[in-house]
């Protein structure tokens, strides 16, 4: 399993919409939109878990692809850096 970072999402995007969109390009395991802890509003990015064999191709195919009128930023997610 691999995780893709998806940035520049429209503020009203749901996890279901993200899964539906990415499912057109490969097998999606799960997706989640990151929200602000204080307000609960979307922070404009999320993560999509996909099969390893689909990850690189999906990142390449979907980076810059329009979603909700905005060009997506898609790349393989990197582990959060420890401080």
């Amino acid at each position: 399993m691999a995780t893709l970072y998806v940035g520049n999402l429209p503020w009203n995007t749901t996890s279901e919409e993200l899964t539906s969109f990415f499912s057109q390009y490969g097998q999606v395991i799960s997706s989640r939109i990151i929200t602000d802890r204080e307000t609960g509003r979307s922070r404009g990015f999320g993560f999509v878990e996909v099969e390893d064999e689909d990850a690189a191709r999906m990142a390449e195919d979907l980076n810059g692809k329009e979603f909700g009128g905005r060009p997506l930023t898609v790349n393989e997610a990197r582990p959060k850096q420890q401080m």
Side-chain angles (χ1 to χ4, degrees):
M1 181 170 61
T3 303
L4 298 176
Y5 164 85
V6 185
N8 201 33
L9 290 169
W11 301 114
N12 60 350
T13 303
T14 65
S15 292
E16 292 79 17
E17 291 169 330
L18 203 54
T19 296
S20 176
F21 182 75
F22 274 75
S23 291
Q24 298 172 52
Y25 299 90
Q27 180 68 39
V28 174
I29 297 163
S30 69
S31 69
R32 66 186 187 282
I33 303 292
I34 304 305
T35 56
D36 183 277
R37 276 190 211 133
E38 303 291 316
T39 66
R41 289 190 47 199
S42 168
R43 292 183 56 199
F45 70 95
F47 296 95
V48 179
E49 291 183 335
V50 299
E51 296 294 338
D52 283 330
E53 61 270 10
D54 293 335
R57 180 185 47 77
M58 289 173 79
E60 187 175 320
D61 290 350
L62 294 172
N63 189 46
K65 181 77 102 182
E66 196 167 291
F67 178 78
R70 301 176 77 165
L72 293 177
T73 299
V74 181
N75 52 50
E76 290 198 50
R78 292 178 292 283
K80 195 174 191 177
Q81 296 294 314
Q82 297 297 322
M83 301 217 172

